[in-house]
mmCIF file of all heavy atoms in Angstrom:
data_model
loop_
_atom_site.group_PDB
_atom_site.id
_atom_site.type_symbol
_atom_site.label_atom_id
_atom_site.label_comp_id
_atom_site.label_asym_id
_atom_site.label_seq_id
_atom_site.Cartn_x
_atom_site.Cartn_y
_atom_site.Cartn_z
ATOM 1 N N MET F 710 3.893 10.419 23.852
ATOM 2 C CA MET F 710 4.053 8.980 23.563
ATOM 3 C C MET F 710 2.696 8.312 23.322
ATOM 4 O O MET F 710 1.758 8.505 24.082
ATOM 5 C CB MET F 710 4.727 8.301 24.758
ATOM 6 C CG MET F 710 6.253 8.319 24.673
ATOM 7 S SD MET F 710 6.870 7.411 23.252
ATOM 8 C CE MET F 710 6.685 5.709 23.826
ATOM 9 N N VAL F 711 2.629 7.514 22.302
ATOM 10 C CA VAL F 711 1.419 6.748 22.088
ATOM 11 C C VAL F 711 1.470 5.495 22.955
ATOM 12 O O VAL F 711 2.533 5.062 23.371
ATOM 13 C CB VAL F 711 1.242 6.367 20.594
ATOM 14 C CG1 VAL F 711 1.116 7.605 19.735
ATOM 15 C CG2 VAL F 711 2.385 5.499 20.130
ATOM 16 N N LYS F 712 0.309 4.965 23.218
ATOM 17 C CA LYS F 712 0.212 3.805 24.084
ATOM 18 C C LYS F 712 0.274 2.541 23.236
ATOM 19 O O LYS F 712 -0.353 2.467 22.193
ATOM 20 C CB LYS F 712 -1.128 3.875 24.830
ATOM 21 C CG LYS F 712 -1.092 3.319 26.209
ATOM 22 C CD LYS F 712 -2.262 3.775 27.057
ATOM 23 C CE LYS F 712 -3.623 3.705 26.368
ATOM 24 N NZ LYS F 712 -4.732 4.004 27.270
ATOM 25 N N GLU F 713 1.038 1.542 23.687
ATOM 26 C CA GLU F 713 1.072 0.273 22.971
ATOM 27 C C GLU F 713 0.123 -0.702 23.625
ATOM 28 O O GLU F 713 0.097 -0.848 24.836
ATOM 29 C CB GLU F 713 2.494 -0.305 22.979
ATOM 30 C CG GLU F 713 3.408 0.428 22.033
ATOM 31 C CD GLU F 713 4.775 -0.244 21.921
ATOM 32 O OE1 GLU F 713 4.884 -1.449 22.198
ATOM 33 O OE2 GLU F 713 5.729 0.466 21.566
ATOM 34 N N LEU F 714 -0.644 -1.356 22.772
ATOM 35 C CA LEU F 714 -1.643 -2.283 23.282
ATOM 36 C C LEU F 714 -1.437 -3.618 22.588
ATOM 37 O O LEU F 714 -1.547 -3.720 21.374
ATOM 38 C CB LEU F 714 -3.031 -1.713 22.964
ATOM 39 C CG LEU F 714 -4.203 -2.328 23.686
ATOM 40 C CD1 LEU F 714 -4.350 -1.695 25.063
ATOM 41 C CD2 LEU F 714 -5.479 -2.090 22.899
ATOM 42 N N LYS F 715 -1.112 -4.632 23.375
ATOM 43 C CA LYS F 715 -0.921 -5.956 22.784
ATOM 44 C C LYS F 715 -2.272 -6.637 22.626
ATOM 45 O O LYS F 715 -3.055 -6.731 23.557
ATOM 46 C CB LYS F 715 -0.028 -6.808 23.688
ATOM 47 C CG LYS F 715 1.388 -6.270 23.786
ATOM 48 C CD LYS F 715 2.317 -7.008 22.844
ATOM 49 C CE LYS F 715 3.781 -6.696 23.139
ATOM 50 N NZ LYS F 715 4.181 -5.379 22.667
ATOM 51 N N LYS F 716 -2.512 -7.101 21.408
ATOM 52 C CA LYS F 716 -3.774 -7.748 21.125
ATOM 53 C C LYS F 716 -3.468 -9.031 20.378
ATOM 54 O O LYS F 716 -3.018 -8.993 19.245
ATOM 55 C CB LYS F 716 -4.625 -6.799 20.288
ATOM 56 C CG LYS F 716 -6.031 -7.235 20.089
ATOM 57 C CD LYS F 716 -6.749 -6.194 19.252
ATOM 58 C CE LYS F 716 -7.935 -6.812 18.548
ATOM 59 N NZ LYS F 716 -8.493 -5.918 17.538
ATOM 60 N N ASN F 717 -3.661 -10.146 21.040
ATOM 61 C CA ASN F 717 -3.228 -11.438 20.505
ATOM 62 C C ASN F 717 -1.743 -11.344 20.140
ATOM 63 O O ASN F 717 -0.929 -10.998 20.975
ATOM 64 C CB ASN F 717 -4.095 -11.845 19.316
ATOM 65 C CG ASN F 717 -5.554 -11.982 19.706
ATOM 66 O OD1 ASN F 717 -5.867 -12.398 20.820
ATOM 67 N ND2 ASN F 717 -6.450 -11.618 18.829
ATOM 68 N N ASP F 718 -1.396 -11.580 18.885
ATOM 69 C CA ASP F 718 0.018 -11.465 18.538
ATOM 70 C C ASP F 718 0.308 -10.150 17.822
ATOM 71 O O ASP F 718 1.366 -9.948 17.271
ATOM 72 C CB ASP F 718 0.462 -12.662 17.690
ATOM 73 C CG ASP F 718 -0.411 -12.847 16.460
ATOM 74 O OD1 ASP F 718 -1.473 -12.203 16.393
ATOM 75 O OD2 ASP F 718 -0.031 -13.620 15.580
ATOM 76 N N LYS F 719 -0.679 -9.255 17.858
ATOM 77 C CA LYS F 719 -0.486 -7.970 17.190
ATOM 78 C C LYS F 719 -0.308 -6.861 18.212
ATOM 79 O O LYS F 719 -0.764 -6.964 19.345
ATOM 80 C CB LYS F 719 -1.704 -7.635 16.320
ATOM 81 C CG LYS F 719 -1.643 -8.280 14.957
ATOM 82 C CD LYS F 719 -2.539 -7.573 13.967
ATOM 83 C CE LYS F 719 -4.005 -7.653 14.337
ATOM 84 N NZ LYS F 719 -4.881 -7.142 13.265
ATOM 85 N N THR F 720 0.338 -5.803 17.798
ATOM 86 C CA THR F 720 0.440 -4.637 18.654
ATOM 87 C C THR F 720 -0.317 -3.494 18.011
ATOM 88 O O THR F 720 -0.139 -3.199 16.838
ATOM 89 C CB THR F 720 1.913 -4.231 18.834
ATOM 90 O OG1 THR F 720 2.636 -5.345 19.347
ATOM 91 C CG2 THR F 720 2.027 -3.078 19.822
ATOM 92 N N LEU F 721 -1.190 -2.894 18.815
ATOM 93 C CA LEU F 721 -1.893 -1.710 18.350
ATOM 94 C C LEU F 721 -1.292 -0.502 19.044
ATOM 95 O O LEU F 721 -0.886 -0.573 20.193
ATOM 96 C CB LEU F 721 -3.386 -1.796 18.694
ATOM 97 C CG LEU F 721 -4.285 -2.662 17.821
ATOM 98 C CD1 LEU F 721 -5.722 -2.538 18.324
ATOM 99 C CD2 LEU F 721 -4.219 -2.260 16.360
ATOM 100 N N TYR F 722 -1.261 0.586 18.331
ATOM 101 C CA TYR F 722 -0.758 1.831 18.906
ATOM 102 C C TYR F 722 -1.938 2.760 19.086
ATOM 103 O O TYR F 722 -2.698 3.001 18.153
ATOM 104 C CB TYR F 722 0.300 2.436 17.988
ATOM 105 C CG TYR F 722 1.464 1.505 17.809
ATOM 106 C CD1 TYR F 722 1.524 0.624 16.730
ATOM 107 C CD2 TYR F 722 2.491 1.468 18.754
ATOM 108 C CE1 TYR F 722 2.585 -0.262 16.584
ATOM 109 C CE2 TYR F 722 3.555 0.586 18.606
ATOM 110 C CZ TYR F 722 3.591 -0.266 17.524
ATOM 111 O OH TYR F 722 4.636 -1.150 17.385
ATOM 112 N N VAL F 723 -2.097 3.240 20.297
ATOM 113 C CA VAL F 723 -3.296 3.984 20.644
ATOM 114 C C VAL F 723 -2.964 5.441 20.938
ATOM 115 O O VAL F 723 -2.056 5.747 21.723
ATOM 116 C CB VAL F 723 -3.994 3.352 21.872
ATOM 117 C CG1 VAL F 723 -5.250 4.119 22.251
ATOM 118 C CG2 VAL F 723 -4.327 1.896 21.600
ATOM 119 N N CYS F 724 -3.689 6.323 20.299
ATOM 120 C CA CYS F 724 -3.582 7.752 20.578
ATOM 121 C C CYS F 724 -4.134 8.020 21.975
ATOM 122 O O CYS F 724 -5.271 7.664 22.274
ATOM 123 C CB CYS F 724 -4.376 8.525 19.534
ATOM 124 S SG CYS F 724 -4.619 10.255 19.941
ATOM 125 N N GLU F 725 -3.335 8.614 22.827
ATOM 126 C CA GLU F 725 -3.780 8.835 24.204
ATOM 127 C C GLU F 725 -4.810 9.949 24.302
ATOM 128 O O GLU F 725 -5.515 10.057 25.293
ATOM 129 C CB GLU F 725 -2.582 9.169 25.096
ATOM 130 C CG GLU F 725 -1.722 7.945 25.379
ATOM 131 C CD GLU F 725 -0.757 8.198 26.508
ATOM 132 O OE1 GLU F 725 -0.036 9.200 26.448
ATOM 133 O OE2 GLU F 725 -0.743 7.388 27.444
ATOM 134 N N GLU F 726 -4.877 10.780 23.307
ATOM 135 C CA GLU F 726 -5.823 11.895 23.350
ATOM 136 C C GLU F 726 -7.246 11.436 23.045
ATOM 137 O O GLU F 726 -8.181 11.801 23.738
ATOM 138 C CB GLU F 726 -5.410 12.976 22.357
ATOM 139 C CG GLU F 726 -4.044 13.582 22.622
ATOM 140 C CD GLU F 726 -4.013 14.377 23.923
ATOM 141 O OE1 GLU F 726 -4.984 15.080 24.211
ATOM 142 O OE2 GLU F 726 -3.014 14.280 24.644
ATOM 143 N N CYS F 727 -7.398 10.650 21.991
ATOM 144 C CA CYS F 727 -8.755 10.269 21.591
ATOM 145 C C CYS F 727 -9.037 8.781 21.768
ATOM 146 O O CYS F 727 -10.168 8.356 21.638
ATOM 147 C CB CYS F 727 -9.017 10.687 20.136
ATOM 148 S SG CYS F 727 -8.071 9.754 18.925
ATOM 149 N N GLY F 728 -7.998 7.997 22.056
ATOM 150 C CA GLY F 728 -8.204 6.586 22.306
ATOM 151 C C GLY F 728 -8.353 5.739 21.050
ATOM 152 O O GLY F 728 -8.698 4.568 21.122
ATOM 153 N N PHE F 729 -8.078 6.325 19.913
ATOM 154 C CA PHE F 729 -8.197 5.584 18.671
ATOM 155 C C PHE F 729 -6.967 4.704 18.450
ATOM 156 O O PHE F 729 -5.850 5.120 18.761
ATOM 157 C CB PHE F 729 -8.373 6.580 17.520
ATOM 158 C CG PHE F 729 -9.269 6.049 16.431
ATOM 159 C CD1 PHE F 729 -10.642 6.016 16.612
ATOM 160 C CD2 PHE F 729 -8.734 5.592 15.246
ATOM 161 C CE1 PHE F 729 -11.475 5.524 15.617
ATOM 162 C CE2 PHE F 729 -9.566 5.100 14.235
ATOM 163 C CZ PHE F 729 -10.929 5.066 14.419
ATOM 164 N N GLY F 730 -7.154 3.505 17.942
ATOM 165 C CA GLY F 730 -6.047 2.574 17.760
ATOM 166 C C GLY F 730 -5.573 2.494 16.325
ATOM 167 O O GLY F 730 -6.352 2.631 15.391
ATOM 168 N N TYR F 731 -4.268 2.233 16.165
ATOM 169 C CA TYR F 731 -3.667 2.112 14.834
ATOM 170 C C TYR F 731 -2.716 0.927 14.811
ATOM 171 O O TYR F 731 -2.050 0.640 15.794
ATOM 172 C CB TYR F 731 -2.886 3.383 14.473
ATOM 173 C CG TYR F 731 -3.771 4.593 14.384
ATOM 174 C CD1 TYR F 731 -4.070 5.324 15.522
ATOM 175 C CD2 TYR F 731 -4.329 4.970 13.182
ATOM 176 C CE1 TYR F 731 -4.908 6.415 15.458
ATOM 177 C CE2 TYR F 731 -5.167 6.071 13.105
ATOM 178 C CZ TYR F 731 -5.454 6.787 14.242
ATOM 179 O OH TYR F 731 -6.289 7.858 14.181
ATOM 180 N N GLU F 732 -2.655 0.272 13.649
ATOM 181 C CA GLU F 732 -1.702 -0.825 13.518
ATOM 182 C C GLU F 732 -0.296 -0.300 13.298
ATOM 183 O O GLU F 732 0.678 -0.984 13.567
ATOM 184 C CB GLU F 732 -2.118 -1.742 12.371
ATOM 185 C CG GLU F 732 -3.323 -2.587 12.741
ATOM 186 C CD GLU F 732 -3.738 -3.530 11.621
ATOM 187 O OE1 GLU F 732 -2.985 -3.708 10.667
ATOM 188 O OE2 GLU F 732 -4.842 -4.079 11.735
ATOM 189 N N GLU F 733 -0.199 0.889 12.767
ATOM 190 C CA GLU F 733 1.117 1.479 12.550
ATOM 191 C C GLU F 733 1.353 2.631 13.508
ATOM 192 O O GLU F 733 0.529 3.532 13.639
ATOM 193 C CB GLU F 733 1.252 1.970 11.108
ATOM 194 C CG GLU F 733 1.398 0.830 10.116
ATOM 195 C CD GLU F 733 0.842 1.207 8.760
ATOM 196 O OE1 GLU F 733 1.464 2.047 8.113
ATOM 197 O OE2 GLU F 733 -0.223 0.690 8.395
ATOM 198 N N LYS F 734 2.506 2.579 14.146
ATOM 199 C CA LYS F 734 2.845 3.590 15.149
ATOM 200 C C LYS F 734 2.859 4.999 14.545
ATOM 201 O O LYS F 734 2.472 5.968 15.185
ATOM 202 C CB LYS F 734 4.214 3.264 15.735
ATOM 203 C CG LYS F 734 4.523 4.032 16.993
ATOM 204 C CD LYS F 734 5.845 3.561 17.576
ATOM 205 C CE LYS F 734 6.057 4.185 18.950
ATOM 206 N NZ LYS F 734 7.318 3.725 19.530
ATOM 207 N N GLU F 735 3.306 5.050 13.317
ATOM 208 C CA GLU F 735 3.385 6.327 12.625
ATOM 209 C C GLU F 735 2.049 7.060 12.614
ATOM 210 O O GLU F 735 1.969 8.269 12.835
ATOM 211 C CB GLU F 735 3.839 6.038 11.193
ATOM 212 C CG GLU F 735 4.396 7.226 10.466
ATOM 213 C CD GLU F 735 4.621 6.899 8.992
ATOM 214 O OE1 GLU F 735 4.996 5.757 8.687
ATOM 215 O OE2 GLU F 735 4.421 7.807 8.178
ATOM 216 N N TRP F 736 0.977 6.318 12.363
ATOM 217 C CA TRP F 736 -0.342 6.939 12.294
ATOM 218 C C TRP F 736 -0.831 7.336 13.676
ATOM 219 O O TRP F 736 -1.492 8.361 13.839
ATOM 220 C CB TRP F 736 -1.329 6.004 11.603
ATOM 221 C CG TRP F 736 -1.138 5.988 10.130
ATOM 222 C CD1 TRP F 736 -0.666 4.946 9.382
ATOM 223 C CD2 TRP F 736 -1.349 7.066 9.216
ATOM 224 N NE1 TRP F 736 -0.587 5.324 8.067
ATOM 225 C CE2 TRP F 736 -1.005 6.614 7.922
ATOM 226 C CE3 TRP F 736 -1.817 8.375 9.364
ATOM 227 C CZ2 TRP F 736 -1.101 7.416 6.790
ATOM 228 C CZ3 TRP F 736 -1.907 9.182 8.232
ATOM 229 C CH2 TRP F 736 -1.548 8.699 6.969
ATOM 230 N N ALA F 737 -0.533 6.517 14.654
ATOM 231 C CA ALA F 737 -0.943 6.859 16.018
ATOM 232 C C ALA F 737 -0.256 8.145 16.469
ATOM 233 O O ALA F 737 -0.858 8.999 17.121
ATOM 234 C CB ALA F 737 -0.597 5.718 16.971
ATOM 235 N N GLU F 738 1.005 8.297 16.081
ATOM 236 C CA GLU F 738 1.729 9.515 16.447
ATOM 237 C C GLU F 738 1.168 10.729 15.723
ATOM 238 O O GLU F 738 1.041 11.803 16.277
ATOM 239 C CB GLU F 738 3.220 9.345 16.150
ATOM 240 C CG GLU F 738 3.901 8.491 17.209
ATOM 241 C CD GLU F 738 5.338 8.122 16.840
ATOM 242 O OE1 GLU F 738 5.732 8.308 15.677
ATOM 243 O OE2 GLU F 738 6.045 7.650 17.737
ATOM 244 N N LYS F 739 0.805 10.517 14.468
ATOM 245 C CA LYS F 739 0.193 11.602 13.705
ATOM 246 C C LYS F 739 -1.124 12.022 14.331
ATOM 247 O O LYS F 739 -1.438 13.202 14.448
ATOM 248 C CB LYS F 739 -0.064 11.156 12.262
ATOM 249 C CG LYS F 739 1.114 11.387 11.376
ATOM 250 C CD LYS F 739 0.791 11.018 9.942
ATOM 251 C CE LYS F 739 2.099 10.941 9.175
ATOM 252 N NZ LYS F 739 2.016 10.205 7.943
ATOM 253 N N CYS F 740 -1.903 11.023 14.722
ATOM 254 C CA CYS F 740 -3.197 11.289 15.338
ATOM 255 C C CYS F 740 -3.006 12.054 16.633
ATOM 256 O O CYS F 740 -3.670 13.055 16.880
ATOM 257 C CB CYS F 740 -3.918 9.971 15.598
ATOM 258 S SG CYS F 740 -5.557 10.156 16.291
ATOM 259 N N GLN F 741 -2.076 11.602 17.443
ATOM 260 C CA GLN F 741 -1.871 12.248 18.736
ATOM 261 C C GLN F 741 -1.400 13.691 18.574
ATOM 262 O O GLN F 741 -1.854 14.590 19.267
ATOM 263 C CB GLN F 741 -0.860 11.457 19.566
ATOM 264 C CG GLN F 741 -0.777 11.985 20.983
ATOM 265 C CD GLN F 741 -0.407 10.901 21.967
ATOM 266 O OE1 GLN F 741 -1.004 9.836 21.972
ATOM 267 N NE2 GLN F 741 0.572 11.143 22.786
ATOM 268 N N ARG F 742 -0.520 13.910 17.613
ATOM 269 C CA ARG F 742 -0.054 15.270 17.359
ATOM 270 C C ARG F 742 -1.212 16.160 16.913
ATOM 271 O O ARG F 742 -1.315 17.301 17.306
ATOM 272 C CB ARG F 742 1.044 15.252 16.289
ATOM 273 C CG ARG F 742 2.388 15.704 16.849
ATOM 274 C CD ARG F 742 3.458 15.528 15.820
ATOM 275 N NE ARG F 742 3.751 14.112 15.622
ATOM 276 C CZ ARG F 742 4.264 13.580 14.526
ATOM 277 N NH1 ARG F 742 4.540 14.329 13.493
ATOM 278 N NH2 ARG F 742 4.520 12.304 14.447
ATOM 279 N N TRP F 743 -2.067 15.594 16.081
ATOM 280 C CA TRP F 743 -3.232 16.342 15.620
ATOM 281 C C TRP F 743 -4.161 16.634 16.795
ATOM 282 O O TRP F 743 -4.613 17.759 16.984
ATOM 283 C CB TRP F 743 -3.967 15.546 14.535
ATOM 284 C CG TRP F 743 -5.218 16.229 14.078
ATOM 285 C CD1 TRP F 743 -6.459 16.117 14.652
ATOM 286 C CD2 TRP F 743 -5.345 17.160 13.005
ATOM 287 N NE1 TRP F 743 -7.336 16.922 13.988
ATOM 288 C CE2 TRP F 743 -6.682 17.577 12.968
ATOM 289 C CE3 TRP F 743 -4.439 17.682 12.066
ATOM 290 C CZ2 TRP F 743 -7.153 18.483 12.029
ATOM 291 C CZ3 TRP F 743 -4.913 18.583 11.127
ATOM 292 C CH2 TRP F 743 -6.251 18.979 11.116
ATOM 293 N N CYS F 744 -4.455 15.605 17.578
ATOM 294 C CA CYS F 744 -5.421 15.730 18.669
ATOM 295 C C CYS F 744 -4.959 16.730 19.728
ATOM 296 O O CYS F 744 -5.782 17.368 20.382
ATOM 297 C CB CYS F 744 -5.667 14.371 19.316
ATOM 298 S SG CYS F 744 -6.612 13.257 18.277
ATOM 299 N N GLN F 745 -3.659 16.856 19.905
ATOM 300 C CA GLN F 745 -3.154 17.795 20.908
ATOM 301 C C GLN F 745 -3.369 19.236 20.466
ATOM 302 O O GLN F 745 -3.409 20.142 21.272
ATOM 303 C CB GLN F 745 -1.670 17.536 21.164
ATOM 304 C CG GLN F 745 -1.464 16.364 22.107
ATOM 305 C CD GLN F 745 -0.029 15.849 22.112
ATOM 306 O OE1 GLN F 745 0.797 16.258 21.300
ATOM 307 N NE2 GLN F 745 0.265 14.949 23.024
ATOM 308 N N ARG F 746 -3.490 19.445 19.180
ATOM 309 C CA ARG F 746 -3.617 20.799 18.656
ATOM 310 C C ARG F 746 -5.022 21.158 18.231
ATOM 311 O O ARG F 746 -5.375 22.319 18.136
ATOM 312 C CB ARG F 746 -2.707 20.944 17.436
ATOM 313 C CG ARG F 746 -1.367 21.509 17.832
ATOM 314 C CD ARG F 746 -0.452 21.517 16.642
ATOM 315 N NE ARG F 746 0.806 20.875 16.996
ATOM 316 C CZ ARG F 746 1.750 20.571 16.115
ATOM 317 N NH1 ARG F 746 1.578 20.833 14.850
ATOM 318 N NH2 ARG F 746 2.856 20.040 16.510
ATOM 319 N N HIS F 747 -5.822 20.148 17.919
ATOM 320 C CA HIS F 747 -7.148 20.406 17.369
ATOM 321 C C HIS F 747 -8.189 19.698 18.220
ATOM 322 O O HIS F 747 -7.946 18.596 18.686
ATOM 323 C CB HIS F 747 -7.238 19.912 15.929
ATOM 324 C CG HIS F 747 -6.167 20.485 15.046
ATOM 325 N ND1 HIS F 747 -6.312 21.677 14.381
ATOM 326 C CD2 HIS F 747 -4.934 20.034 14.746
ATOM 327 C CE1 HIS F 747 -5.200 21.923 13.695
ATOM 328 N NE2 HIS F 747 -4.348 20.949 13.902
ATOM 329 N N PRO F 748 -9.323 20.330 18.392
ATOM 330 C CA PRO F 748 -10.354 19.721 19.238
ATOM 331 C C PRO F 748 -11.094 18.575 18.555
ATOM 332 O O PRO F 748 -11.798 17.830 19.208
ATOM 333 C CB PRO F 748 -11.311 20.887 19.541
ATOM 334 C CG PRO F 748 -11.106 21.840 18.407
ATOM 335 C CD PRO F 748 -9.688 21.667 17.922
ATOM 336 N N SER F 749 -10.928 18.407 17.267
ATOM 337 C CA SER F 749 -11.669 17.355 16.592
ATOM 338 C C SER F 749 -10.712 16.422 15.853
ATOM 339 O O SER F 749 -9.557 16.740 15.626
ATOM 340 C CB SER F 749 -12.665 17.953 15.599
ATOM 341 O OG SER F 749 -11.961 18.654 14.601
ATOM 342 N N CYS F 750 -11.234 15.267 15.482
ATOM 343 C CA CYS F 750 -10.408 14.265 14.834
ATOM 344 C C CYS F 750 -10.223 14.578 13.351
ATOM 345 O O CYS F 750 -11.073 15.183 12.722
ATOM 346 C CB CYS F 750 -11.049 12.882 15.001
ATOM 347 S SG CYS F 750 -10.884 12.276 16.675
ATOM 348 N N ASN F 751 -9.123 14.118 12.832
ATOM 349 C CA ASN F 751 -8.811 14.285 11.422
ATOM 350 C C ASN F 751 -9.221 13.014 10.681
ATOM 351 O O ASN F 751 -8.662 11.948 10.893
ATOM 352 C CB ASN F 751 -7.301 14.525 11.278
ATOM 353 C CG ASN F 751 -6.915 14.803 9.841
ATOM 354 O OD1 ASN F 751 -7.565 14.343 8.909
ATOM 355 N ND2 ASN F 751 -5.857 15.550 9.667
ATOM 356 N N LEU F 752 -10.221 13.137 9.828
ATOM 357 C CA LEU F 752 -10.755 11.960 9.137
ATOM 358 C C LEU F 752 -9.702 11.277 8.272
ATOM 359 O O LEU F 752 -9.721 10.070 8.099
ATOM 360 C CB LEU F 752 -11.956 12.362 8.271
ATOM 361 C CG LEU F 752 -13.241 12.672 9.023
ATOM 362 C CD1 LEU F 752 -14.340 13.051 8.043
ATOM 363 C CD2 LEU F 752 -13.694 11.502 9.878
ATOM 364 N N GLU F 753 -8.790 12.047 7.735
ATOM 365 C CA GLU F 753 -7.755 11.450 6.890
ATOM 366 C C GLU F 753 -6.825 10.555 7.698
ATOM 367 O O GLU F 753 -6.271 9.597 7.186
ATOM 368 C CB GLU F 753 -6.939 12.540 6.198
ATOM 369 C CG GLU F 753 -7.659 13.090 4.985
ATOM 370 C CD GLU F 753 -6.809 14.079 4.211
ATOM 371 O OE1 GLU F 753 -5.584 13.896 4.164
ATOM 372 O OE2 GLU F 753 -7.387 15.031 3.689
ATOM 373 N N ILE F 754 -6.647 10.887 8.957
ATOM 374 C CA ILE F 754 -5.801 10.062 9.827
ATOM 375 C C ILE F 754 -6.607 8.879 10.340
ATOM 376 O O ILE F 754 -6.156 7.732 10.316
ATOM 377 C CB ILE F 754 -5.254 10.899 11.007
ATOM 378 C CG1 ILE F 754 -4.308 11.986 10.475
ATOM 379 C CG2 ILE F 754 -4.519 10.001 11.998
ATOM 380 C CD1 ILE F 754 -3.797 12.942 11.534
ATOM 381 N N ILE F 755 -7.820 9.171 10.751
ATOM 382 C CA ILE F 755 -8.661 8.145 11.373
ATOM 383 C C ILE F 755 -8.977 6.987 10.439
ATOM 384 O O ILE F 755 -9.149 5.856 10.875
ATOM 385 C CB ILE F 755 -9.928 8.846 11.916
ATOM 386 C CG1 ILE F 755 -9.509 9.413 13.273
ATOM 387 C CG2 ILE F 755 -11.135 7.934 11.981
ATOM 388 C CD1 ILE F 755 -10.486 9.524 14.290
ATOM 389 N N GLN F 756 -9.012 7.251 9.148
ATOM 390 C CA GLN F 756 -9.327 6.154 8.234
ATOM 391 C C GLN F 756 -8.213 5.106 8.181
ATOM 392 O O GLN F 756 -8.404 4.029 7.644
ATOM 393 C CB GLN F 756 -9.672 6.674 6.836
ATOM 394 C CG GLN F 756 -8.485 7.321 6.130
ATOM 395 C CD GLN F 756 -8.885 7.857 4.756
ATOM 396 O OE1 GLN F 756 -9.935 7.528 4.243
ATOM 397 N NE2 GLN F 756 -8.041 8.678 4.181
ATOM 398 N N HIS F 757 -7.064 5.417 8.748
ATOM 399 C CA HIS F 757 -5.988 4.430 8.836
ATOM 400 C C HIS F 757 -6.058 3.633 10.139
ATOM 401 O O HIS F 757 -5.204 2.811 10.411
ATOM 402 C CB HIS F 757 -4.625 5.122 8.745
ATOM 403 C CG HIS F 757 -4.397 5.760 7.416
ATOM 404 N ND1 HIS F 757 -3.854 5.091 6.352
ATOM 405 C CD2 HIS F 757 -4.652 7.019 6.990
ATOM 406 C CE1 HIS F 757 -3.795 5.914 5.314
ATOM 407 N NE2 HIS F 757 -4.270 7.093 5.662
ATOM 408 N N GLY F 758 -7.040 3.942 10.951
ATOM 409 C CA GLY F 758 -7.127 3.339 12.265
ATOM 410 C C GLY F 758 -7.647 1.921 12.269
ATOM 411 O O GLY F 758 -8.171 1.433 11.276
ATOM 412 N N ALA F 759 -7.466 1.275 13.389
ATOM 413 C CA ALA F 759 -7.993 -0.070 13.592
ATOM 414 C C ALA F 759 -8.821 -0.041 14.867
ATOM 415 O O ALA F 759 -8.469 0.655 15.813
ATOM 416 C CB ALA F 759 -6.845 -1.061 13.742
ATOM 417 N N PRO F 760 -9.928 -0.777 14.885
ATOM 418 C CA PRO F 760 -10.762 -0.755 16.084
ATOM 419 C C PRO F 760 -10.072 -1.374 17.288
ATOM 420 O O PRO F 760 -9.396 -2.396 17.165
ATOM 421 C CB PRO F 760 -12.001 -1.562 15.697
ATOM 422 C CG PRO F 760 -11.589 -2.378 14.515
ATOM 423 C CD PRO F 760 -10.470 -1.641 13.838
ATOM 424 N N VAL F 761 -10.213 -0.726 18.425
ATOM 425 C CA VAL F 761 -9.642 -1.246 19.669
ATOM 426 C C VAL F 761 -10.755 -1.970 20.410
ATOM 427 O O VAL F 761 -11.720 -1.361 20.828
ATOM 428 C CB VAL F 761 -9.090 -0.115 20.546
ATOM 429 C CG1 VAL F 761 -8.492 -0.684 21.823
ATOM 430 C CG2 VAL F 761 -8.048 0.690 19.796
ATOM 431 N N GLU F 762 -10.606 -3.281 20.538
ATOM 432 C CA GLU F 762 -11.619 -4.039 21.263
ATOM 433 C C GLU F 762 -11.051 -4.470 22.599
ATOM 434 O O GLU F 762 -9.908 -4.852 22.693
ATOM 435 C CB GLU F 762 -12.029 -5.273 20.456
ATOM 436 C CG GLU F 762 -12.795 -4.905 19.195
ATOM 437 C CD GLU F 762 -12.612 -5.961 18.113
ATOM 438 O OE1 GLU F 762 -12.584 -7.148 18.451
ATOM 439 O OE2 GLU F 762 -12.474 -5.579 16.936
ATOM 440 N N GLU F 763 -11.885 -4.386 23.575
ATOM 441 C CA GLU F 763 -11.443 -4.781 24.921
ATOM 442 C C GLU F 763 -11.500 -6.296 25.073
ATOM 443 O O GLU F 763 -12.389 -6.924 24.582
ATOM 444 C CB GLU F 763 -12.336 -4.119 25.972
ATOM 445 C CG GLU F 763 -12.187 -2.619 26.018
ATOM 446 C CD GLU F 763 -10.754 -2.174 26.355
ATOM 447 O OE1 GLU F 763 -10.135 -2.769 27.261
ATOM 448 O OE2 GLU F 763 -10.248 -1.248 25.715
HETATM 449 ZN ZN1 ZN H 91 -6.155 10.982 18.330
#
């Protein structure tokens, strides 16, 4: 499961493996599936990401 992070009125979906955030759940799930199998990040997935600010 990806983590949901509420940010103002938006929801970000965060990959629990690498902590990268996405505006679309689909990409966060793709990232997490990748991260569970591969030790490094997939640039093609990461370019769809959104910065997670605390
Ligand atoms: Zn990831």
Side-chain angles (χ1 to χ4, degrees):
M710 271 297 283
V711 298
K712 213 162 45 173
E713 285 187 23
L714 195 83
K715 294 262 192 284
K716 189 180 156 191
N717 300 325
D718 54 348
K719 276 201 296 189
T720 304
L721 281 182
Y722 300 94
V723 180
C724 168
E725 287 194 308
E726 299 293 320
C727 69
F729 214 76
Y731 297 86
E732 286 181 13
E733 287 151 70
K734 194 175 188 179
E735 199 189 324
W736 283 111
E738 283 171 347
K739 273 184 194 161
C740 182
Q741 188 150 310
R742 245 174 289 155
W743 177 273
C744 289
Q745 280 165 352
R746 266 175 231 171
H747 305 272
S749 63
C750 287
N751 184 332
L752 286 180
E753 280 185 34
I754 295 175
I755 277 210
Q756 67 181 346
H757 295 272
V761 181
E762 291 152 39
E763 293 300 317

